[in-house]
Amino acid sequence: QVQLVESGGGLVQAGDSQRLSCAASGLTFSNYAMAWFRQAPGKEREFVAGISRTGGNTYYTGSVKGRFTISRDNAKNTVYLQMNSLNPEDTAVYYCAASEMIANEVVIDVYGFDYWGQGTQVTVSS
């Protein structure tokens, strides 16, 4: 069956960097647009960053633009989220998601994804 397994979360201080990974199995990874979402306590799940099937197209929510970078390695079936200049507002559970696509486009709608990981906690202390 399809599995998305996130890793790399933890406790960091404001200003630090952290890299999240999401390893996919049970699917043809290169057929899927991938994305990272996050959900803070008491808030809705929000889109953070997305990447197209080939990695040629990316998109970020405004609050992370210039600080976060999404990338993928189709040979390793893995998508990454490099997070720099972290601040306490970035504290959340981070989820990766996969959307089967024909077009090489980014998917940003939370309802547009076929599979989700279990999430990894990122906590940024001030």
Side-chain angles (χ1 to χ4, degrees), residues 39-44:
Q39 188 166 18
K43 295 187 177 181
E44 293 186 352

Side-chain angles (χ1 to χ4, degrees), residues 16-36:
D16 284 352
S17 297
Q18 196 169 40
R19 189 176 84 155
L20 305 182
S21 300
C22 172
S25 61
L27 50 73
T28 303
F29 187 67
S30 60
N31 287 350
Y32 287 78
M34 301 297 296
W36 288 95

